[in-house]
Amino acid sequence: MNVKIKPNEIKGKMKSIPSKSLLHRAIILSGIAKDREIILKQVNTISEDIEATLTCIEKLGAKTKVEGDSIRITSLGNIKKSKVELHCKESGTTLRLLLPLVSTFSKEATVDCSEGLRKRPLRELIETLEESGLYFKEKGFPINISGNVTTDFFKISGDISSQYVSGLLLLSSLLDQRSSIYLTTKLESRAYVNITIKVLRDFGIIVNELEEGVFEIYGGRDKILPPKEYQIEGDWSNAAFFLVGGCLGDSIKMSGLNLESSQGDKKIVQILKKAGAILTCSDDFISSNRSHLNSFEVDFSETPDLFPILSVVAALSKGQSILKGGERLKLKESNRIESTFQMLKSLGADVKKREDGLIIQGKEILDGGIVNSFNDHRIVMSVTMASIRCKEPVSIVNAGAVNKSYPNFFEDFKKVGGIFDVIS
């Protein structure tokens, strides 16, 4: 799907979509619990990534049913399957969180994913799982895994993917003993591990961080005790696009966001305020209003998903902004330093690359033009918000990439005044 957007200010009220990070983890823990039924509530959007996790947990033996804005999950039984085949599609979270768990529920498992995801890092997680007692028949895709975990101690790097750590935390929740995870490097994107710990604790598992990078987990499948109903809070990562849209356009009032959230991308409020944005925050709503924005400097090592949309803010702010700390952005759905650079250049922004980010000289208005999405959902949403302050229309090639995390994105954009046509 390609779209052509006519520049126009946006204004209106919105409800945030459910946190994808929280929902992945809640689905998995609901599924692997023993003889339980749980209803996940406030799920008004199901993305392609979430569909991948639901499909995989069903393959392992759980039952799931979407009921309006809720998902009902009946957990796995006690029968270990002889063989399962899982396909994680393009969801890196699904792949890295489930890979450590599959041998618990199947004697032999085959795990595969899309071509793009196959190129993203996984080697270190496989090596750690091999050291734990699991056997990998092939090092490449599709992955064939069997065996049993024979250790209660895991060691892994923390600076390649926080999802490695989250996957090991979920594995430890199933082990009938106290387990330990030791990180050999500094943990980056720590907020995503905090989300995993929060959901584990909400589901009855005790997790302690004894010191920085050393985790202790008191596991056991019988100890995973989901509440009968579990509320999924709003997604700060996706809300960030419309909050920025309110600053560039007229105003956006968004409900369903938790200011005390474990999600690291709630920092969007702090960063926008630093840039001079007019934001009003309460327990019920976050409001963003048309603002005169100033340049800023941000390290993205902890909030990599905010990089594309904040690059748009920088391109439309007064002065020179520096976006740094984004080495791992090269390992996302696209090389996000390169794809964000190309996005801004296509729109007429004044931007230069640096090894770990971008240097951007802001303008009052951008030109518009044709932008390649690089099949990256966050590039599509960032371009869309940039169109608000463009002289000419903006066309996005493969705008359907938004389905990965926010399938109703363009519908919501239209509801608050966005004007676009699907051109193919």
Side-chain angles (χ1 to χ4, degrees), residues 128-134 148-156 168-169 171-183 206 208 210 213-220:
T128 296
L129 293 174
E130 283 182 316
E131 291 170 2
S132 78
L134 299 183
N148 296 298
V149 173
T150 57
T151 185
D152 59 4
F153 178 77
F154 306 94
K155 187 167 65 173
I156 200 162
L168 294 175
L169 284 166
L171 171 60
S172 297
S173 75
L174 290 168
L175 303 179
D176 291 317
Q177 69 244 1
R178 183 184 68 176
S179 304
S180 300
I181 300 171
Y182 174 78
L183 304 187
I206 297 172
N208 299 316
L210 302 180
V214 181
F215 300 91
E216 176 184 67
I217 307 94
Y218 292 85

Tab-separated table of all heavy atoms in Angstrom, residues 128-134 148-156 168-169 171-183 206 208 210 213-220:
chain	number	residue	atom	x	y	z
A	128	THR	N	23.988	-18.988	24.583
A	128	THR	CA	23.652	-19.101	26.006
A	128	THR	C	22.721	-20.284	26.248
A	128	THR	O	22.876	-21.025	27.227
A	128	THR	CB	23.003	-17.793	26.512
A	128	THR	OG1	23.961	-16.734	26.418
A	128	THR	CG2	22.541	-17.920	27.959
A	129	LEU	N	21.756	-20.479	25.359
A	129	LEU	CA	20.821	-21.594	25.508
A	129	LEU	C	21.524	-22.930	25.301
A	129	LEU	O	21.203	-23.922	25.969
A	129	LEU	CB	19.655	-21.433	24.532
A	129	LEU	CG	18.723	-20.237	24.812
A	129	LEU	CD1	17.691	-20.091	23.697
A	129	LEU	CD2	18.031	-20.385	26.163
A	130	GLU	N	22.504	-22.972	24.399
A	130	GLU	CA	23.292	-24.196	24.229
A	130	GLU	C	24.058	-24.529	25.509
A	130	GLU	O	24.120	-25.690	25.932
A	130	GLU	CB	24.267	-24.034	23.062
A	130	GLU	CG	23.615	-24.170	21.692
A	130	GLU	CD	24.625	-24.052	20.570
A	130	GLU	OE1	25.489	-23.158	20.636
A	130	GLU	OE2	24.541	-24.847	19.628
A	131	GLU	N	24.629	-23.511	26.129
A	131	GLU	CA	25.365	-23.717	27.382
A	131	GLU	C	24.448	-24.188	28.500
A	131	GLU	O	24.892	-24.852	29.440
A	131	GLU	CB	26.067	-22.419	27.785
A	131	GLU	CG	27.214	-22.021	26.859
A	131	GLU	CD	27.734	-20.621	27.138
A	131	GLU	OE1	27.222	-19.972	28.089
A	131	GLU	OE2	28.649	-20.168	26.416
A	132	SER	N	23.156	-23.868	28.384
A	132	SER	CA	22.195	-24.258	29.427
A	132	SER	C	21.716	-25.706	29.287
A	132	SER	O	21.011	-26.218	30.146
A	132	SER	CB	20.987	-23.326	29.404
A	132	SER	OG	20.094	-23.664	28.353
A	133	GLY	N	22.062	-26.362	28.155
A	133	GLY	CA	21.665	-27.745	27.962
A	133	GLY	C	20.802	-28.001	26.746
A	133	GLY	O	20.530	-29.156	26.403
A	134	LEU	N	20.347	-26.950	26.066
A	134	LEU	CA	19.514	-27.137	24.882
A	134	LEU	C	20.385	-27.453	23.661
A	134	LEU	O	21.549	-27.059	23.592
A	134	LEU	CB	18.665	-25.899	24.621
A	134	LEU	CG	17.688	-25.513	25.746
A	134	LEU	CD1	16.862	-24.306	25.335
A	134	LEU	CD2	16.786	-26.679	26.114
A	148	ASN	N	16.721	-30.280	27.227
A	148	ASN	CA	16.183	-29.706	28.465
A	148	ASN	C	17.216	-28.804	29.113
A	148	ASN	O	18.425	-29.063	29.036
A	148	ASN	CB	15.811	-30.827	29.447
A	148	ASN	CG	14.699	-31.709	28.914
A	148	ASN	OD1	13.594	-31.252	28.675
A	148	ASN	ND2	15.016	-32.987	28.698
A	149	VAL	N	16.739	-27.770	29.747
A	149	VAL	CA	17.623	-26.866	30.484
A	149	VAL	C	18.146	-27.593	31.719
A	149	VAL	O	17.375	-28.155	32.496
A	149	VAL	CB	16.868	-25.583	30.892
A	149	VAL	CG1	17.736	-24.713	31.800
A	149	VAL	CG2	16.448	-24.797	29.658
A	150	THR	N	19.470	-27.575	31.893
A	150	THR	CA	20.086	-28.305	33.002
A	150	THR	C	20.858	-27.390	33.950
A	150	THR	O	21.650	-27.860	34.756
A	150	THR	CB	21.041	-29.380	32.456
A	150	THR	OG1	22.031	-28.741	31.615
A	150	THR	CG2	20.287	-30.423	31.649
A	151	THR	N	20.635	-26.096	33.853
A	151	THR	CA	21.362	-25.147	34.688
A	151	THR	C	20.400	-24.148	35.304
A	151	THR	O	19.260	-23.994	34.845
A	151	THR	CB	22.426	-24.395	33.860
A	151	THR	OG1	23.200	-23.545	34.718
A	151	THR	CG2	21.762	-23.512	32.801
A	152	ASP	N	20.867	-23.493	36.354
A	152	ASP	CA	20.085	-22.411	36.956
A	152	ASP	C	20.861	-21.097	36.880
A	152	ASP	O	20.545	-20.139	37.585
A	152	ASP	CB	19.717	-22.741	38.405
A	152	ASP	CG	20.939	-22.975	39.289
A	152	ASP	OD1	22.084	-22.811	38.795
A	152	ASP	OD2	20.760	-23.334	40.464
A	153	PHE	N	21.883	-21.071	36.013
A	153	PHE	CA	22.719	-19.874	35.875
A	153	PHE	C	22.895	-19.560	34.393
A	153	PHE	O	23.310	-20.419	33.606
A	153	PHE	CB	24.089	-20.090	36.521
A	153	PHE	CG	25.023	-18.908	36.382
A	153	PHE	CD1	24.870	-17.787	37.181
A	153	PHE	CD2	26.038	-18.920	35.427
A	153	PHE	CE1	25.730	-16.698	37.040
A	153	PHE	CE2	26.894	-17.837	35.280
A	153	PHE	CZ	26.730	-16.721	36.100
A	154	PHE	N	22.561	-18.332	34.007
A	154	PHE	CA	22.661	-17.903	32.613
A	154	PHE	C	23.551	-16.669	32.522
A	154	PHE	O	23.446	-15.761	33.359
A	154	PHE	CB	21.283	-17.573	32.038
A	154	PHE	CG	20.285	-18.684	32.180
A	154	PHE	CD1	19.421	-18.730	33.264
A	154	PHE	CD2	20.220	-19.699	31.237
A	154	PHE	CE1	18.508	-19.762	33.404
A	154	PHE	CE2	19.307	-20.735	31.363
A	154	PHE	CZ	18.450	-20.763	32.454
A	155	LYS	N	24.373	-16.633	31.512
A	155	LYS	CA	25.273	-15.497	31.306
A	155	LYS	C	25.109	-15.000	29.871
A	155	LYS	O	25.136	-15.805	28.928
A	155	LYS	CB	26.720	-15.934	31.558
A	155	LYS	CG	27.729	-14.801	31.530
A	155	LYS	CD	29.078	-15.231	32.098
A	155	LYS	CE	29.729	-16.300	31.252
A	155	LYS	NZ	31.108	-16.612	31.707
A	156	ILE	N	24.925	-13.684	29.706
A	156	ILE	CA	24.695	-13.132	28.366
A	156	ILE	C	25.034	-11.650	28.352
A	156	ILE	O	25.028	-10.978	29.403
A	156	ILE	CB	23.232	-13.366	27.919
A	156	ILE	CG1	23.094	-13.258	26.403
A	156	ILE	CG2	22.269	-12.411	28.640
A	156	ILE	CD1	21.836	-13.869	25.841
A	168	LEU	N	15.304	-14.860	28.757
A	168	LEU	CA	15.872	-15.677	29.834
A	168	LEU	C	15.098	-15.496	31.143
A	168	LEU	O	14.967	-16.443	31.930
A	168	LEU	CB	17.351	-15.335	30.028
A	168	LEU	CG	18.267	-15.709	28.858
A	168	LEU	CD1	19.687	-15.217	29.119
A	168	LEU	CD2	18.253	-17.211	28.607
A	169	LEU	N	14.587	-14.302	31.384
A	169	LEU	CA	13.737	-14.085	32.562
A	169	LEU	C	12.469	-14.932	32.473
A	169	LEU	O	12.050	-15.554	33.458
A	169	LEU	CB	13.386	-12.606	32.684
A	169	LEU	CG	14.482	-11.678	33.213
A	169	LEU	CD1	14.120	-10.215	32.955
A	169	LEU	CD2	14.719	-11.900	34.707
A	171	LEU	N	12.109	-17.715	30.711
A	171	LEU	CA	12.530	-19.106	30.887
A	171	LEU	C	12.717	-19.427	32.367
A	171	LEU	O	12.268	-20.468	32.855
A	171	LEU	CB	13.833	-19.348	30.122
A	171	LEU	CG	14.535	-20.692	30.381
A	171	LEU	CD1	13.632	-21.864	30.013
A	171	LEU	CD2	15.855	-20.758	29.618
A	172	SER	N	13.361	-18.531	33.095
A	172	SER	CA	13.622	-18.757	34.519
A	172	SER	C	12.337	-18.872	35.321
A	172	SER	O	12.298	-19.567	36.342
A	172	SER	CB	14.483	-17.614	35.076
A	172	SER	OG	15.749	-17.581	34.433
A	173	SER	N	11.271	-18.209	34.861
A	173	SER	CA	9.992	-18.294	35.580
A	173	SER	C	9.423	-19.701	35.557
A	173	SER	O	8.582	-20.058	36.388
A	173	SER	CB	8.983	-17.307	34.988
A	173	SER	OG	8.475	-17.768	33.739
A	174	LEU	N	9.881	-20.539	34.609
A	174	LEU	CA	9.377	-21.906	34.479
A	174	LEU	C	10.209	-22.926	35.271
A	174	LEU	O	9.770	-24.053	35.473
A	174	LEU	CB	9.381	-22.324	33.004
A	174	LEU	CG	8.347	-21.643	32.100
A	174	LEU	CD1	8.669	-21.932	30.640
A	174	LEU	CD2	6.941	-22.097	32.447
A	175	LEU	N	11.408	-22.548	35.680
A	175	LEU	CA	12.319	-23.487	36.329
A	175	LEU	C	11.994	-23.641	37.808
A	175	LEU	O	11.776	-22.644	38.503
A	175	LEU	CB	13.762	-23.029	36.144
A	175	LEU	CG	14.219	-22.841	34.684
A	175	LEU	CD1	15.663	-22.365	34.647
A	175	LEU	CD2	14.051	-24.124	33.887
A	176	ASP	N	11.985	-24.886	38.292
A	176	ASP	CA	11.590	-25.167	39.673
A	176	ASP	C	12.744	-24.962	40.649
A	176	ASP	O	13.078	-25.845	41.445
A	176	ASP	CB	11.068	-26.604	39.786
A	176	ASP	CG	9.739	-26.780	39.082
A	176	ASP	OD1	8.877	-25.897	39.216
A	176	ASP	OD2	9.574	-27.785	38.375
A	177	GLN	N	13.367	-23.816	40.566
A	177	GLN	CA	14.457	-23.499	41.493
A	177	GLN	C	14.768	-22.016	41.360
A	177	GLN	O	14.259	-21.347	40.475
A	177	GLN	CB	15.709	-24.309	41.144
A	177	GLN	CG	16.375	-23.907	39.842
A	177	GLN	CD	16.368	-24.993	38.788
A	177	GLN	OE1	15.850	-26.083	39.001
A	177	GLN	NE2	16.930	-24.696	37.641
A	178	ARG	N	15.630	-21.556	42.223
A	178	ARG	CA	16.096	-20.179	42.092
A	178	ARG	C	17.101	-20.123	40.949
A	178	ARG	O	18.026	-20.933	40.881
A	178	ARG	CB	16.765	-19.725	43.392
A	178	ARG	CG	17.219	-18.263	43.356
A	178	ARG	CD	17.959	-17.875	44.605
A	178	ARG	NE	19.248	-18.584	44.678
A	178	ARG	CZ	20.145	-18.376	45.629
A	178	ARG	NH1	19.886	-17.542	46.615
A	178	ARG	NH2	21.280	-19.047	45.629
A	179	SER	N	16.912	-19.194	40.034
A	179	SER	CA	17.814	-19.035	38.889
A	179	SER	C	18.477	-17.665	38.953
A	179	SER	O	17.964	-16.734	39.582
A	179	SER	CB	17.042	-19.154	37.567
A	179	SER	OG	16.354	-20.381	37.501
A	180	SER	N	19.610	-17.567	38.257
A	180	SER	CA	20.343	-16.303	38.200
A	180	SER	C	20.695	-15.969	36.757
A	180	SER	O	20.999	-16.865	35.958
A	180	SER	CB	21.632	-16.376	39.021
A	180	SER	OG	21.355	-16.645	40.377
A	181	ILE	N	20.647	-14.699	36.427
A	181	ILE	CA	21.075	-14.201	35.117
A	181	ILE	C	22.156	-13.162	35.351
A	181	ILE	O	21.949	-12.197	36.111
A	181	ILE	CB	19.903	-13.594	34.330
A	181	ILE	CG1	18.805	-14.640	34.108
A	181	ILE	CG2	20.392	-13.033	32.990
A	181	ILE	CD1	17.527	-14.066	33.520
A	182	TYR	N	23.301	-13.357	34.712
A	182	TYR	CA	24.433	-12.447	34.876
A	182	TYR	C	24.735	-11.792	33.533
A	182	TYR	O	24.946	-12.483	32.530
A	182	TYR	CB	25.661	-13.215	35.374
A	182	TYR	CG	26.922	-12.392	35.441
A	182	TYR	CD1	27.148	-11.497	36.488
A	182	TYR	CD2	27.886	-12.493	34.432
A	182	TYR	CE1	28.300	-10.736	36.537
A	182	TYR	CE2	29.046	-11.743	34.481
A	182	TYR	CZ	29.249	-10.858	35.536
A	182	TYR	OH	30.398	-10.097	35.579
A	183	LEU	N	24.738	-10.467	33.500
A	183	LEU	CA	25.018	-9.741	32.266
A	183	LEU	C	26.500	-9.396	32.194
A	183	LEU	O	27.070	-8.847	33.137
A	183	LEU	CB	24.181	-8.464	32.184
A	183	LEU	CG	22.656	-8.646	32.291
A	183	LEU	CD1	21.953	-7.331	32.013
A	183	LEU	CD2	22.158	-9.732	31.348
A	206	ILE	N	8.681	-13.923	41.682
A	206	ILE	CA	9.587	-13.035	42.414
A	206	ILE	C	10.861	-12.845	41.595
A	206	ILE	O	11.533	-13.805	41.227
A	206	ILE	CB	9.937	-13.614	43.797
A	206	ILE	CG1	8.689	-13.719	44.663
A	206	ILE	CG2	10.999	-12.756	44.496
A	206	ILE	CD1	8.900	-14.459	45.968
A	208	ASN	N	14.398	-10.354	41.636
A	208	ASN	CA	15.206	-9.350	42.327
A	208	ASN	C	16.432	-9.026	41.485
A	208	ASN	O	16.982	-9.901	40.809
A	208	ASN	CB	15.677	-9.865	43.694
A	208	ASN	CG	14.513	-10.183	44.621
A	208	ASN	OD1	13.562	-9.417	44.718
A	208	ASN	ND2	14.580	-11.316	45.293
A	210	LEU	N	20.017	-8.167	42.270
A	210	LEU	CA	20.917	-8.163	43.415
A	210	LEU	C	21.929	-7.029	43.325
A	210	LEU	O	22.300	-6.428	44.341
A	210	LEU	CB	21.641	-9.507	43.513
A	210	LEU	CG	20.727	-10.746	43.627
A	210	LEU	CD1	21.570	-12.010	43.728
A	210	LEU	CD2	19.793	-10.624	44.827
A	213	GLY	N	22.900	-5.615	36.748
A	213	GLY	CA	23.193	-6.673	35.803
A	213	GLY	C	23.189	-8.076	36.366
A	213	GLY	O	23.584	-9.019	35.675
A	214	VAL	N	22.705	-8.248	37.590
A	214	VAL	CA	22.614	-9.586	38.188
A	214	VAL	C	21.193	-9.785	38.700
A	214	VAL	O	20.760	-9.111	39.641
A	214	VAL	CB	23.619	-9.772	39.339
A	214	VAL	CG1	23.497	-11.189	39.924
A	214	VAL	CG2	25.046	-9.522	38.860
A	215	PHE	N	20.462	-10.722	38.084
A	215	PHE	CA	19.067	-10.942	38.413
A	215	PHE	C	18.871	-12.313	39.077
A	215	PHE	O	19.523	-13.288	38.702
A	215	PHE	CB	18.198	-10.868	37.152
A	215	PHE	CG	18.276	-9.543	36.440
A	215	PHE	CD1	19.209	-9.333	35.429
A	215	PHE	CD2	17.434	-8.499	36.799
A	215	PHE	CE1	19.292	-8.112	34.789
A	215	PHE	CE2	17.512	-7.268	36.161
A	215	PHE	CZ	18.443	-7.078	35.152
A	216	GLU	N	17.969	-12.345	40.035
A	216	GLU	CA	17.627	-13.574	40.753
A	216	GLU	C	16.130	-13.809	40.587
A	216	GLU	O	15.325	-12.907	40.819
A	216	GLU	CB	17.977	-13.405	42.235
A	216	GLU	CG	17.609	-14.552	43.133
A	216	GLU	CD	17.909	-14.214	44.589
A	216	GLU	OE1	17.235	-13.319	45.141
A	216	GLU	OE2	18.817	-14.828	45.162
A	217	ILE	N	15.765	-15.030	40.163
A	217	ILE	CA	14.364	-15.346	39.879
A	217	ILE	C	13.963	-16.596	40.642
A	217	ILE	O	14.666	-17.610	40.599
A	217	ILE	CB	14.152	-15.587	38.362
A	217	ILE	CG1	14.683	-14.414	37.541
A	217	ILE	CG2	12.663	-15.821	38.061
A	217	ILE	CD1	16.099	-14.598	37.042
A	218	TYR	N	12.843	-16.527	41.338
A	218	TYR	CA	12.287	-17.691	42.027
A	218	TYR	C	11.134	-18.215	41.178
A	218	TYR	O	10.025	-17.690	41.218
A	218	TYR	CB	11.817	-17.305	43.433
A	218	TYR	CG	12.962	-16.957	44.357
A	218	TYR	CD1	13.505	-15.677	44.380
A	218	TYR	CD2	13.519	-17.926	45.191
A	218	TYR	CE1	14.563	-15.359	45.216
A	218	TYR	CE2	14.580	-17.619	46.043
A	218	TYR	CZ	15.103	-16.331	46.045
A	218	TYR	OH	16.153	-16.024	46.883
A	219	GLY	N	11.445	-19.262	40.385
A	219	GLY	CA	10.490	-19.724	39.391
A	219	GLY	C	9.759	-21.000	39.772
A	219	GLY	O	9.831	-21.496	40.895
A	220	GLY	N	9.072	-21.517	38.782
A	220	GLY	CA	8.246	-22.703	38.922
A	220	GLY	C	6.918	-22.457	38.239
A	220	GLY	O	6.251	-21.447	38.514
